Amino acid sequence: MKKECVAMLLAGGQGSRLYALTRSVAKPAVPFGAKYRIIDFPLSNCVNSGIDTVGVLTQYRPMELNAYLGNGQPWDLDKSDGGVHVLPPYLGAGEKGSWYKGTANAIYQNIDFIDMYNPEYVLILSGDHIYKMDYDKMLAYHKAQNAAATIAVLEVTLEEATRFGIMNVDENDVIYEFEEKPKHPKSTLASMGIYIFTWSKLREALISDENDPTSKNDFGGNIIPNLIGQGDKCVAWRFDGYWKDVGTIASLWDANMDLLKTDSGIKIYDKSWPLYARTNICPPHVDGPNAVISHSLVAGGGEIGGIVDNSVIFENVVIEEGATVRYSVIMPGTVIKAGAKVEYSIIAENAVVESNATVGEDKGAIAVVAGGVVVDAGSVVPAGAMYTEESKGGEA
Amino acid sequence: MLNNVHGILMTNQPGYNLKELSSIRSISSVPYGGRYRLVDFVLSNMVNAGIVDIGVVLQQGYQSLLDHLGSGKDWDLARRRGGLRLLPPFSMTNTQQHNYRGMMDALVGLRDYLDEIKQDYIVIADADVVANIELEKVYDQHIASGADVTVVCSASYTDRPGYATYYTLAEDGSAAEIVNKPVGYESLNVYVVAKAKLIELVEYAAARGLYSFSHQVLANKDQLGLKVVPYIFEGYVARFPTVADYFAKSMDLLKKDVRDDLFNPAHPIRSKDRSDPATYYGPDSKVVGSMISDGCVIEGTVENSIIFRNVKVAKGAVVKNCILMKDTDIGEGTNLNCVICDKAVTIGAGRTLSGCEAYPIVYAKGARI
């Protein structure tokens, strides 16, 4: 059936800068905010915006992400018409197939999928941003502007602008130039990696881009500059809510801590824009007789016996009496034993921090313990360390 | 996996006086344990045993149960084949126009439904029992013992004089006496019986106007030539005919051994998923010895309490020995002791309300104090 707008969510990135956290899962499947995974944010935005057809483009380590998405039921995306579709690269009959070469190529390879729904518009999203956005408002703007492409932009500081794709716009917010990470930015409007295209325009652009052997097949680097170059109307749509790219350990930790602040702009309790997630079956958590918990988020299933301060605690985490967790993110199923001290750290799923071990240090760079790793009793994981099974054998 | 077993849940049981908690809903949808309704326990027991075709017999006050069960998807029971089937009263044309007086009465009214059951065996159970029962083991014993009816019994008494049935054992492990005074083992009213045998017993009851399965049918086992064998369940069991029992059995959940038994992750208790965020503890919160569900915002003090989803405890409030159900809102500086708040109760700032453990104060759903 024809859909007005289909969303395509780029979820194939390896997230190499999250190293220890993405060794076995794709970045969008990284746990976030005590109950979610990163991909829950764009997916919930889609559903809350009335978009019921979402293609999720996977490539790197997709097993856990595929299992997590399942039939899309937690997001009400288990539809008989539309819903969530996992789209890995594939081989066509008699042709050579290939991995997704770039963001634009990933969409190019799925032109048939989009054509199946024959949409007027296509929304391109990435799976590594934390934000709440009404895509329907952006679409209304796109239609009102009669644009070929609308790019969501965020005002950043001049200093930050050097790290983003920057939109140079005229007085009507029509984009005349796109600069990737400019040394001397002319504008402070940063691309958020969220695009709406009129499908007929994007379809043509993808085909001609694919025929250009010098292209990197990238939206920011090729498709959008090409559209601007050929005189198609590309407009910036200003967003002023909370938005964070969680592509690095520091920003992932920051974004988790932002959930604890009342003024950060990301409101997880706002029922008008709920966040959906596939949840584990677990009972409520229990706080022991000597627990001390302050300024923290705690999810279900766990047992908190020790001190938890300024931290984000996922499902089924055990923090024994006598353990201290401060300014840290503890992912599902992890156990922090008595006498252990965890500060300024991210501990991935099903890890164990044994008695009297120390992870991270006060106000230090964020230490990371990889999933399933045991930090031995009494050992020390220094600030900024990436502690994995391999590094444990070496210098730790 | 019990793929040749059908489940039937009875959701109304007499003998309860939970005041405001059960006056607005059937006993099986009374909230318990922070995020559950009583029905979740036996329903999950069935699903965990691989029973995927389950009828729920409804009678009175079942609106809240319908809201809770929905399509059954949270128990993986929203299926094309089988799944959850809701059986409201008077849904069959031959139903007598009165309330069911007992299980046999209900089954007589559901005779057409019984005929349509595809499986050869039936687990039929009251949905008022808090327990994590591995029904595969009950079924295995049923087959091995050659019983006509297997009944799950507990060695611990849950104190329901006049309503519970008690079994004493003969030497071969089958039921000797079936009585309504507390001797031997207390029945949890969870039965395994072959479909053909159940229909035979329903016809027997219908012809004689009998309505109680345990007191009027099973108690006549010798005349009927029935082999009734209790299955002795060793795990934790809670039923609560009174508010004081409800209070005490809720507080049992603060004991680790009870939780480990009841919430064994190998066969988890499922409930309706509400996609709540995690609970936020404010900078000055003090929460000890309590069970806390998702979606709460706690800025005050909570001790020795069971807190359901989306509860707000404002700064300076002190909540001790309380059970606060979903969406309860406790104002600043309020002091509560031994209070049970049903859903969406609002208690204004600065109140002091205190009951005692044997007689907790109960506030009805939606009350504003």
Side-chain angles (χ1 to χ4, degrees), chain A residues 33-36 73-74 76 78 259-262 268-269 271 274-300 303-304 313 315, chain B residues 33-36 73-74 76 253-254 256 259-260 263 268-271 273-297 307 310 312 327:
Chain A
K35 284 202 68 163
Y36 310 104
Q73 186 249 313
D76 280 344
D78 51 336
L259 297 177
L260 300 174
K261 297 174 191 154
T262 48
I268 54 173
Y269 295 101
K271 292 197 174 108
L275 291 164
Y276 301 100
R278 184 178 292 279
T279 46
N280 299 314
I281 302 166
C282 57
H285 71 268
V286 173
D287 300 327
N290 296 309
V292 181
I293 309 169
S294 59
H295 201 43
S296 295
L297 282 173
V298 183
E303 308 257 343
I304 312 294
I313 313 295
E315 284 162 333
Chain B
R35 60 169 298 179
Y36 304 97
K73 71 177 177 186
D74 290 316
D76 286 341
L253 292 171
L254 299 176
K256 185 160 170 53
R259 291 198 304 274
D260 287 350
F263 301 125
I269 304 302
R270 300 152 192 257
S271 189
D273 177 25
R274 286 173 23 103
S275 280
D276 296 301
T279 279
Y280 172 71
Y281 290 78
D284 304 316
S285 71
K286 179 169 185 278
V287 181
V288 292
S290 295
M291 174 176 248
I292 313 284
S293 307
D294 282 348
C296 298
V297 175
I307 309 294
N310 289 323
K312 291 191 170 55
D327 299 329

Side-chain angles (χ1 to χ4, degrees), chain B residues 133-134 137-138 141 150-154 229-234:
Chain B
I133 306 167
E134 290 175 85
K137 291 184 180 169
V138 182
Q141 183 194 300
T150 296
V151 51
V152 179
C153 292
S154 167
V229 181
Y231 171 93
I232 309 303
F233 176 67
E234 306 283 352

Side-chain angles (χ1 to χ4, degrees), chain A residues 294-323:
Chain A
S294 59
H295 201 43
S296 295
L297 282 173
V298 183
E303 308 257 343
I304 312 294
I307 298 169
V308 176
D309 175 31
N310 276 282
S311 294
V312 174
I313 313 295
F314 284 72
E315 284 162 333
N316 298 316
V317 167
V318 176
I319 297 173
E320 291 185 355
E321 193 170 329

Side-chain angles (χ1 to χ4, degrees), chain A residues 53 58 98 165 168 174 176 191 224 323 372 376 385 387:
Chain A
T53 308
T58 62
S98 76
N168 298 324
V174 173
Y176 63 85
S191 167
I224 290 162
D376 295 329
Y387 194 77

Side-chain angles (χ1 to χ4, degrees), chain A residues 325-341:
Chain A
V325 174
R326 297 179 62 245
Y327 293 90
S328 293
V329 177
I330 314 292
M331 292 185 181
T334 285
V335 179
I336 315 288
K337 297 218 172 150
K341 191 171 187 186

Side-chain angles (χ1 to χ4, degrees), chain B residues 47-83:
Chain B
V47 170
N48 290 337
I51 300 174
V52 294
D53 214 346
I54 298 173
V56 178
V57 180
L58 306 165
Q59 188 175 156
Q60 287 178 320
Y62 54 79
Q63 183 58 50
S64 110
L65 194 59
L66 293 183
D67 288 345
H68 183 69
L69 295 173
S71 65
K73 71 177 177 186
D74 290 316
W75 295 266
D76 286 341
L77 290 173
R79 333 266 298 191
R80 188 174 290 262
R81 259 172 73 91

